[in-house]
Amino acid sequence: MSNGVELSAEENRVIPVALSSASVYPLSVHDAFAVAQDLSFDGVEVMVTNNATSQSPHSLLELSHRYRQPIVSIHAPTLLLTQKVWGSAWNKIEMSCRMAREVGCGTVVVHPPFRWQSNYAENFPAGIRQLADMYQVRIAVENMYPWRVRGRETVAYLPHWDPLGQDYDDVTWDFSHAATAGANSVEAIKALGSKLRHIHLTDGSGSGRDEHLIPGRGNQGCAEALQHLAGSGFDGVVVAEISTRRAKFAGEREQWLNETLRFARQHLSLPLVGARDA
């Protein structure tokens, strides 16, 4: 299924770099498509939120065609802030899969279940595999991080915040979440191997907060990780997901996003020697 805007052919494939609609918050989904076109991104990841446009396949396809930006992925409303969007946990996933089919993309990003969603969590790996098969999409589970209350870690996600070692077919790796968790993104990406389906390109300093910094401004080895991807046969999409909500003057948001895009394209064009064998 196609939304009318083609990505690069598999032959001599260049890894696409798309823009998450979350990166323009608090602006709208419409703004995300406009910025993606202005800066020459390769597509848009749509974060489903309370915003009506983000929930409408018809509206999203209109934006995709108007701005000639393919929709590369749908981020399911599995965040704390979107608990009331699309009802039950399984309905959120299924509606996201259905939307992905309708807009012509093959990847749905989901967060692991919260610990209080125990019944949902028990059948989560098998359930997402069944929905992925039913809708013929990839459901890529995102790495998260432990929550800390008064300096102590608390269990927030089941079966775990770390997708490594879990029974998932596909994984999304987020560099900011990795920094918050104290993880090493380069090592994790290599360990995930063919399970790695999708990238949220950002960075973090390890401060304990989910910072979503511009890549290269944190401690996650983003340059090395992208170079590894470029030489390892990665066939997914790299999605810029930085925080721009603190942009203070006209054009600053676009400057940060352009810096992120340039960083991605620079390092995706420089595969490390021997990376394919890593």
Side-chain angles (χ1 to χ4, degrees):
M1 183 177 295
S2 172
N3 61 10
V5 186
E6 300 298 329
L7 292 175
S8 302
E10 286 301 313
E11 295 182 7
N12 302 316
R13 183 179 189 270
V14 176
I15 297 173
V17 183
L19 176 65
S20 168
S21 61
S23 289
V24 303
Y25 179 85
L27 301 182
S28 69
V29 179
H30 189 155
D31 292 301
F33 280 91
V35 170
Q37 183 190 57
D38 288 344
L39 298 181
S40 298
F41 276 89
D42 298 314
V44 172
E45 173 173 298
V46 175
M47 171 82 77
V48 178
T49 66
N50 297 301
N51 177 275
T53 301
S54 74
Q55 301 177 27
S56 167
H58 176 74
S59 298
L60 293 176
L61 281 173
E62 283 190 341
L63 290 172
S64 177
H65 286 288
R66 182 186 310 175
Y67 292 103
R68 295 199 56 78
Q69 288 289 314
I71 300 168
V72 302
S73 45
I74 298 296
H75 194 310
T78 49
L79 292 72
L80 274 176
L81 294 175
T82 56
Q83 288 187 84
K84 295 184 179 180
V85 177
W86 288 351
S88 71
W90 281 121
N91 196 59
K92 293 176 189 290
I93 307 297
E94 184 162 8
M95 291 284 287
S96 298
C97 291
R98 188 177 303 164
M99 174 180 279
R101 291 290 296 174
E102 291 178 358
V103 302
C105 71
T107 300
V108 173
V109 178
V110 302
H111 289 185
F114 294 111
R115 63 175 176 78
W116 55 84
Q117 297 173 305
S118 56
N119 291 335
Y120 169 56
E122 285 177 8
N123 301 308
F124 184 66
I128 59 172
R129 185 172 291 115
Q130 182 179 7
L131 286 173
D133 289 343
M134 182 185 304
Y135 287 95
Q136 291 298 290
V137 297
R138 301 291 190 99
I139 300 178
V141 183
E142 189 168 354
N143 64 306
M144 297 304 293
Y145 45 83
W147 289 5
R148 295 178 177 89
V149 179
R150 298 176 183 174
R152 300 178 62 182
E153 288 190 6
T154 182
V155 176
Y157 299 99
L158 294 175
H160 203 273
W161 55 263
D162 188 351
L164 281 166
Q166 302 302 321
D167 186 24
Y168 303 141
D169 293 334
D170 298 287
V171 169
T172 294
W173 192 259
D174 183 299
F175 290 87
S176 178
H177 295 172
T180 306
N184 182 307
S185 285
V186 176
E187 292 179 0
I189 283 171
K190 291 179 179 179
L192 284 166
S194 62
K195 285 191 173 185
L196 184 64
R197 168 59 32 193
H198 204 66
I199 293 287
H200 280 169
L201 179 60
T202 178
D203 212 337
S205 68
S207 68
R209 295 182 294 111
D210 187 15
E211 299 168 296
H212 285 271
L213 302 177
I214 294 170
R217 298 191 183 184
N219 64 9
Q220 285 302 297
C222 296
E224 182 181 351
L226 293 179
Q227 291 168 31
H228 171 77
L229 290 177
S232 66
F234 176 70
D235 63 353
V237 178
V238 170
V239 176
E241 195 186 71
I242 67 168
S243 174
T244 63
R245 67 186 67 185
R246 294 188 178 181
K248 296 179 180 178
F249 57 83
E252 188 171 27
R253 175 178 286 106
E254 288 75 12
Q255 288 180 14
W256 294 351
L257 291 170
N258 189 50
E259 181 179 340
T260 301
L261 177 60
R262 289 167 63 90
F263 182 97
R265 288 195 171 141
Q266 175 188 353
H267 294 291
L268 287 171
S269 67
L270 296 172
L272 291 171
V273 175
R276 190 173 293 276
D277 300 321

